[in-house]
Amino acid sequence: MAIFRSLILLAIICSFFLLIAASDGEIDPLYKGCVEQCEKSGCVGDRCFQHCKFSSDGKPIDGPWYMHEPLYLEWKQWDCRTDCRYYCMLAREEERTKLGEKPVKYHGKWPFRRIYGIQEPVAVALSALNLAMQFHGWVSFFILVYYKLPLRPDKKAYYEYTGLWHIYGILSMNAWLWRAVFHSRAVELTEKLNYSSAVALIGFSLILAILRAFNVRDEATRVMVSAPLVAFVTTHIMYLNFYELNYGLNMKVSMLMAVVQLLIWAIWAGVSSHPARWKLWIVVAGGIFAMVLETYDFPPYKGYVDAHALWNAANIPLTFLWWSYIRDDAEFRTSALLKKVK
């Protein structure tokens, strides 16, 4: 247990420690000048943008630019300003690299390179893989509970946490879907959907950890335990969406709930005699490592792979092992209940 206390303490320190990166690139006079010139001329070097061509009244020529773009770019709504910022950023970063300077953030984000209009292609691909893993895990759990394990006379599963894990699976797939969308195009709407779905998943995961670790099976008790946490998470989501999208506050709230649930699972695995508790140990250790990656911030390698992409990658094997534990738990509890029935 001592090693896990140390790991959890490390995760708490990392989640609240603000890493000071390079200064923001948008205050660079050369970058600002490039963007201003681009918005007037519609060009960065030899590259020009159709949607930066304006008439005398300031409106784009030939109507909205996205009506003339390929279909796969329409939904992304790249406009004159975002394209000017992107290509000026690339040009400025090339100059900085030649001078031996380190990358800096522009408008709060590291300089990523697009692929087919996708803002963070590696993170999108890894998020999609996580979505696929969650779907596979949920479907395999569904098949196990309803088609492989014995059912009650009323055709319901013996496993008392079946419904809760179904909700968890749906929330997980929803969270990874919006994370993929957010990494493909970061606008206010996709940002709010990403953070809101992630907080909802973390909050429900904490509820599940409490209910399973303390073996809460009575419905009334479950409601009493869940209600305060549901109210807290709902209030936090409403705050983010309708008052202020506070990144620092959201990080602290999310990390706090994540650390608490990992602590609960770690202690429960240590005191229980569950046959699959070793899987919990690995998931807890891996979850702490993934949280450290999430809080650690560094420039994307070659413009594609950053800490968030590595966090997404670390979650893929953890998701497989986590659903494996859930299936083992369903078999373990069903077997125990059948012995009591007999």
Side-chain angles (χ1 to χ4, degrees):
M1 291 294 290
I3 184 172
F4 280 94
R5 292 194 192 99
S6 301
L7 288 170
I8 291 169
L9 179 60
L10 175 63
I12 295 173
I13 293 172
C14 289
S15 64
F16 290 100
F17 183 75
L18 296 177
L19 294 171
I20 301 176
S23 59
D24 287 338
E26 69 263 23
I27 63 175
D28 183 348
L30 295 177
Y31 169 78
K32 291 172 67 177
C34 175
V35 173
E36 291 172 2
Q37 182 63 30
C38 174
E39 290 180 345
K40 292 176 182 178
S41 65
C43 299
V44 177
D46 297 330
R47 184 186 295 271
C48 296
F49 317 111
Q50 178 184 347
H51 42 281
C52 280
K53 297 177 181 178
F54 298 94
S55 61
S56 58
D57 60 359
K59 294 182 180 179
I61 296 174
D62 298 327
W65 72 270
Y66 49 82
M67 298 302 292
H68 307 280
E69 292 289 340
L71 288 175
Y72 71 89
L73 285 179
E74 279 188 25
W75 73 276
K76 293 184 178 301
Q77 298 181 21
W78 296 115
D79 56 18
C80 178
R81 171 169 291 183
T82 52
D83 266 347
C84 284
R85 286 179 174 179
Y86 174 71
Y87 288 103
C88 284
M89 174 193 73
L90 292 184
R92 188 68 187 102
E93 282 302 304
E94 288 178 4
E95 295 172 359
R96 293 178 61 85
T97 301
K98 292 177 181 178
L99 295 172
E101 298 177 359
K102 294 181 179 180
V104 295
K105 289 185 176 181
Y106 295 81
H107 307 282
K109 295 184 179 296
W110 288 113
F112 284 93
R113 291 184 175 272
R114 300 179 192 166
I115 295 181
Y116 295 111
I118 297 176
Q119 206 164 7
E120 300 177 36
V122 173
V124 170
L126 292 171
S127 296
L129 282 174
N130 273 287
L131 173 59
M133 291 300 299
Q134 290 288 351
F135 179 74
H136 172 269
W138 175 64
V139 169
S140 62
F141 172 73
F142 183 91
I143 293 172
L144 172 71
V145 170
Y146 291 107
Y147 293 98
K148 293 184 178 180
L149 294 178
L151 297 174
R152 297 178 186 271
D154 57 0
K155 301 301 180 181
K156 292 183 179 181
Y158 277 97
Y159 187 48
E160 316 97 314
Y161 303 94
T162 300
L164 294 174
W165 286 119
H166 284 326
I167 297 173
Y168 170 82
I170 292 170
L171 289 176
S172 296
M173 290 184 285
N174 176 69
W176 282 110
L177 169 65
W178 289 116
R179 177 170 282 265
V181 172
F182 169 69
H183 284 308
S184 67
R185 179 68 167 104
V187 296
E188 184 179 1
L189 177 61
T190 59
E191 202 166 26
K192 287 181 177 180
L193 287 168
N194 173 51
Y195 288 123
S196 299
S197 57
V199 170
L201 172 61
I202 296 171
F204 187 78
S205 299
L206 176 57
I207 292 172
L208 250 175
I210 296 171
L211 297 181
R212 181 63 189 95
F214 292 95
N215 200 25
V216 180
R217 288 173 286 178
D218 180 67
E219 289 298 327
T221 308
R222 286 184 176 183
V223 172
M224 291 176 62
V225 171
S226 304
L229 286 171
V230 170
F232 171 74
V233 171
T234 303
T235 302
H236 180 65
I237 292 174
M238 292 179 67
Y239 177 88
L240 294 177
N241 283 273
F242 302 110
Y243 184 71
E244 180 187 8
L245 191 57
N246 190 317
Y247 304 103
L249 175 64
N250 184 62
M251 175 66 78
K252 291 176 183 178
V253 170
S254 299
M255 284 296 177
L256 178 62
M257 291 193 294
V259 168
V260 170
Q261 65 183 277
L262 287 175
L263 184 61
I264 290 173
W265 285 120
I267 295 174
W268 184 71
V271 300
S272 72
S273 57
H274 198 287
R277 60 185 179 275
W278 65 271
K279 294 181 181 180
L280 272 181
W281 286 117
I282 296 176
V283 170
V284 169
I288 293 170
F289 174 71
M291 281 198 302
V292 172
L293 284 177
E294 180 73 356
T295 55
Y296 184 62
D297 199 18
F298 59 84
Y301 179 72
K302 300 293 185 180
Y304 297 110
V305 180
D306 70 335
H308 295 292
L310 294 179
W311 179 81
N312 291 342
N315 273 282
I316 294 173
L318 292 178
T319 297
F320 179 82
L321 193 62
W322 179 238
W323 277 106
S324 176
Y325 158 74
I326 295 169
R327 292 192 297 272
D328 289 347
D329 190 50
E331 292 180 354
F332 175 69
R333 288 298 305 160
T334 301
S335 176
L337 290 171
L338 286 173
K339 288 179 181 179
K340 290 183 180 179
V341 171
K342 293 178 182 180

